[in-house]
Amino acid sequence: MIRKYISKYKSIRFSTLAVNEASYLQPDFVIAASNCTHLIKEMAKNDNTSENFNLRFKSESDFDSKIKQFSKDMIHPLSIRDIYSFSEKKLEIEQAKFLWKELPIRFTRSYIELQNLPFGLSESVAVKSVSSWYKNILLALFSFPEPKTEALEKSYANMLASLLLEHAQVPHALGLGIKELKTNHRLSLVEQHRIDQILNSFFLMRISLRFLVEQYISSKQNRNGFRGLIQTQCSPVLVAQNAAHDVAHLCNRHLQYFPDIQVYGSKNDVFTAIPTHLYHILTELLKNSCRATILHHKLTSNIGSGVSPPIKVIVAGGREDITIKVMDEGGGIKRSDLQHVWSYMFSSTPKPELSLKEPFPFDHISQFKEGECGHSFSLWGHGIGLPLIRLYARYFGGSLKLRPMEGYGTDAYVHLHRLKSSSKELFPDNLGKTIQQMGFDGRMCTGKIPWMKKLADTSKRPNFKC
């Protein structure tokens, strides 16, 4: 049974917002994320890696040989328990040494996938920019000596902070590349599925990379109840309340109205988790629900409070899982569209006309600015929000599922592991199978990384899954 704790966010207009904000207390995870953002910015200012180390190779062949070397190494998946126990300030050098070995392996896989995206996507201007960013990251990582001393560890942390800030717009850039591909090519469902497979692999790896670096940096100033970004007593009800509060502001700003959002559950039902990941998932789901509810019921700013059906968020805690259900009456999803909702090639919303020069945060940390509470995200996107948050749910073994009823509404279910030992990083199949899939699709790069041909066995179709 779900306990009858109910938190309702009434229809608050901006004229009364200051009064209500005065009584609204930011949850600990928002403060921790804001502190992490501030720390990353401060550390990035102290980055002098390019001055102290040579970030160039004698030739492209030297760089390719490094790529080949790290592509053969296996990734080491970690559980939340592993990361939590490792994230102590007294273990900073050990953390840095692990990342020094692990990050080049993970970035190498992502770089190879960027170089071999299907159907000419790798040749788009936006994706070429991302490939260039990743190459610069790898140059910095390959060139940095092992951080065995306190001085080197500090320099290494500053370099990673700088890399985080400089390459925060990767999802936005890839969204622009996907938009360009959809405009110039008519792709079949099979072809779209192949693009989705490789993008799932890339984005899942990116989530892991950013989280490990952010966790390492934020663990330098642990708050009470936190190890880095991991909270030992995370209340999903409080996270849901905060997400509802922020989405209501956002919806009001863009559509001049927002439906009532009700959160059901017990604040005392807690588990060890990454609250910023959960916040990112719930804000995206609630944005979709609010937008669908308003548009489906043709609401305007002239219609008063209580006219629209409420959106309900129900939090239930079991022995093994935490389950969150988001229910709306926004008209549901057509059955013909249901097969597309997890595709990066599909969107039911208007596309913003943005460039790579404009900020467009897609990361769970970039939403939290100093002194703010997650208001920097947009109501409209490139249609890659749902696939991305499903990867956030899957990253530590959870899941996200939709149960729509066309003409009525949609129920979204988020399942997360309660047990720290069960919450282990999820990755796509190893690089060999990725390259096999590339070979099967005819996507092998003949000029850029010719040694990859030797790893591909195109005699049979691989079982490539995300």
Side-chain angles (χ1 to χ4, degrees):
M1 293 291 294
I2 299 174
R3 298 184 180 94
K4 295 298 183 181
Y5 174 82
I6 303 176
S7 173
K8 294 187 178 182
Y9 294 90
K10 301 294 185 180
S11 300
I12 303 171
R13 300 301 175 191
F14 276 108
S15 59
T16 61
L17 207 55
V19 176
N20 291 282
E21 282 296 325
S23 60
Y24 180 77
L25 298 177
Q26 291 187 347
D28 287 342
F29 84 90
V30 175
I31 299 173
S34 299
N35 289 344
C36 179
T37 301
H38 174 73
L39 183 59
I40 289 172
K41 291 179 179 178
E42 291 301 312
M43 293 174 65
K45 293 177 183 178
N46 299 322
D47 178 34
N48 56 4
T49 307
S50 58
E51 299 174 6
N52 295 338
F53 304 104
N54 182 14
L55 302 186
R56 295 182 179 275
F57 287 90
K58 294 180 180 179
S59 65
E60 281 294 316
S61 61
D62 291 339
F63 178 75
D64 287 347
S65 65
K66 278 286 188 180
I67 294 291
K68 180 178 180 180
Q69 172 190 336
F70 283 101
S71 69
K72 296 177 181 178
D73 294 334
M74 297 297 294
I75 292 172
H76 301 88
L78 303 171
S79 67
I80 287 185
R81 175 175 292 173
D82 296 331
I83 299 172
Y84 180 83
S85 61
F86 206 45
S87 300
E88 293 188 58
K89 189 172 179 61
K90 62 183 180 181
L91 298 175
E92 285 180 343
I93 293 180
E94 296 303 316
Q95 290 184 65
K97 287 166 68 176
F98 172 78
L99 293 179
W100 182 78
K101 294 177 181 178
E102 186 73 9
L103 293 183
I105 300 172
R106 301 192 184 199
F107 270 110
T108 294
R109 176 184 287 195
S110 297
Y111 178 73
I112 291 173
E113 289 171 342
L114 282 172
Q115 292 284 297
N116 293 274
L117 292 173
F119 312 112
L121 187 55
S122 293
E123 301 304 316
S124 67
V125 175
V127 177
K128 279 186 175 181
S129 296
V130 178
S131 294
S132 176
W133 298 342
Y134 269 65
K135 184 173 182 179
N136 291 335
I137 291 174
L138 286 169
L139 284 171
L141 295 176
F142 291 161
S143 305
F144 203 97
E146 185 175 5
K148 296 180 179 180
T149 65
E150 289 186 10
L152 280 175
E153 185 276 328
K154 186 175 180 180
S155 295
Y156 186 66
N158 291 338
M159 179 193 72
L160 293 181
S162 178
L163 293 178
L164 276 181
L165 289 182
E166 291 174 3
H167 307 99
Q169 296 196 64
V170 170
H172 170 46
L174 288 179
L176 291 176
I178 292 169
K179 180 180 178 181
E180 181 181 335
L181 179 64
K182 288 191 291 187
T183 302
N184 299 330
H185 298 83
R186 185 180 181 87
L187 301 177
S188 67
L189 287 178
V190 174
E191 291 170 334
Q192 291 179 28
H193 180 63
R194 290 176 181 172
I195 293 175
D196 291 335
Q197 284 181 319
I198 202 73
L199 288 178
N200 275 334
S201 173
F202 174 83
F203 280 127
L204 192 59
M205 187 64 69
R206 185 175 186 275
I207 290 171
S208 79
L209 286 164
R210 292 191 68 85
F211 170 66
L212 288 180
V213 174
E214 288 162 350
Q215 174 68 14
Y216 163 56
I217 292 174
S218 60
S219 66
K220 291 179 175 294
Q221 53 172 25
N222 284 327
R223 289 173 53 83
N224 186 33
F226 286 82
R227 286 276 183 87
L229 297 176
I230 300 175
Q231 187 176 15
T232 54
Q233 300 290 310
C234 174
S235 170
V237 169
L238 289 179
V239 176
Q241 288 179 6
N242 194 72
H245 179 271
D246 292 346
V247 170
H249 284 21
L250 187 72
C251 198
N252 199 22
R253 182 192 307 168
H254 287 272
L255 301 175
Q256 291 74 53
Y257 185 89
F258 59 91
D260 184 25
I261 302 175
Q262 303 172 0
V263 181
Y264 296 78
S266 171
K267 291 187 290 184
N268 298 323
D269 197 355
V270 297
F271 72 128
T272 299
I274 308 163
T276 49
H277 282 196
L278 179 56
Y279 172 90
H280 189 53
I281 293 169
L282 292 178
T283 50
E284 187 66 30
L285 290 176
L286 288 173
K287 282 186 337 184
N288 290 343
S289 291
C290 285
R291 191 170 56 228
T293 299
I294 291 174
L295 297 181
H296 179 64
H297 293 274
K298 297 181 174 60
L299 300 176
T300 69
S301 58
N302 297 322
I303 297 181
S305 172
V307 175
S308 66
I311 296 168
K312 297 181 180 180
V313 182
I314 302 174
V315 181
R319 291 186 177 182
E320 295 185 359
D321 286 347
I322 292 287
T323 302
I324 303 173
K325 181 180 181 180
V326 179
M327 308 165 57
D328 70 54
E329 297 179 32
I333 302 171
K334 294 187 295 184
R335 190 165 59 171
S336 59
D337 286 341
L338 191 57
Q339 61 183 324
H340 302 298
V341 295
W342 302 116
S343 173
Y344 298 94
M345 307 294 292
F346 174 80
S347 176
S348 60
T349 63
K351 308 296 189 303
E353 295 296 333
L354 297 175
S355 69
L356 289 176
K357 297 180 181 179
E358 297 182 60
F360 198 87
F362 269 90
D363 297 294
H364 64 285
I365 284 296
S366 62
Q367 297 178 126
F368 299 93
K369 295 182 178 180
E370 299 170 58
E372 297 186 10
C373 189
H375 297 311
S376 61
F377 50 87
S378 172
L379 186 66
W380 314 101
H382 291 293
I384 66 177
L386 269 181
L388 274 181
I389 63 169
R390 183 170 69 163
L391 294 181
Y392 273 98
R394 287 179 171 182
Y395 176 45
F396 277 114
S399 65
L400 170 61
K401 299 178 181 179
L402 298 182
R403 295 290 182 267
M405 294 177 63
E406 186 183 1
Y408 182 76
T410 301
D411 295 349
Y413 293 86
V414 181
H415 297 274
L416 300 171
H417 281 306
R418 180 187 285 276
L419 306 177
K420 289 191 288 186
S421 58
S422 300
S423 302
K424 195 169 186 177
E425 287 184 294
L426 175 70
F427 291 108
D429 294 340
N430 61 39
L431 181 62
K433 288 191 176 181
T434 302
I435 295 176
Q436 284 181 338
Q437 179 69 41
M438 293 175 180
F440 177 79
D441 289 342
R443 294 186 274 126
M444 295 309 302
C445 179
T446 58
K448 298 174 185 175
I449 313 177
W451 56 265
M452 282 172 44
K453 283 187 174 181
K454 299 178 182 179
L455 296 179
D457 177 14
T458 58
S459 60
K460 60 179 180 179
R461 183 169 186 168
N463 181 25
F464 182 77
K465 299 178 180 178
C466 180

